[in-house]
Amino acid sequence: MPMVTVSISPQQAAGIRAAVDNGGYASSSEVVREALRLWDSTRKLNEFRDDVLDDGAPSGGRCVADMFADHEAERRRSA
């Protein structure tokens, strides 16, 4: 596994140590790997959300009822 060196705040280091000391993780590397997995998942979810909502809708997005109404209208046009 590649090694990477990063700088973190004393509070972040303490949080990592506490997570290991409390038994939630076997090592600090495990804590960081999970944090990176969560970051990556969040990033991908945000990209997906941006792609889905990139249809000129207001920044708040569209409600499910509006999307369903559009879907039904398209289905009726196609029938």
Side-chain angles (χ1 to χ4, degrees):
M1 199 174 290
M3 295 283 294
V4 177
T5 301
V6 297
S7 297
I8 60 175
S9 72
Q11 293 83 6
Q12 290 168 322
I16 291 171
R17 278 191 302 275
V20 174
D21 291 346
N22 290 337
Y25 297 89
S27 68
S28 58
S29 292
E30 190 178 307
V31 176
V32 173
R33 282 192 297 271
E34 182 171 348
L36 288 171
R37 282 191 297 272
L38 290 170
W39 168 76
D40 192 48
S41 295
T42 300
R43 185 179 55 82
K44 288 176 182 175
L45 179 61
N46 287 335
E47 287 174 4
F48 174 76
R49 187 177 317 148
D50 290 345
D51 289 345
V52 169
L53 295 178
D54 191 25
D55 60 0
S59 61
R62 299 175 62 214
C63 72
V64 174
D66 290 341
M67 289 186 280
F68 182 75
D70 289 349
H71 172 74
E72 287 298 301
E74 181 62 33
R75 189 176 63 81
R76 282 192 295 271
R77 279 193 295 268
S78 299

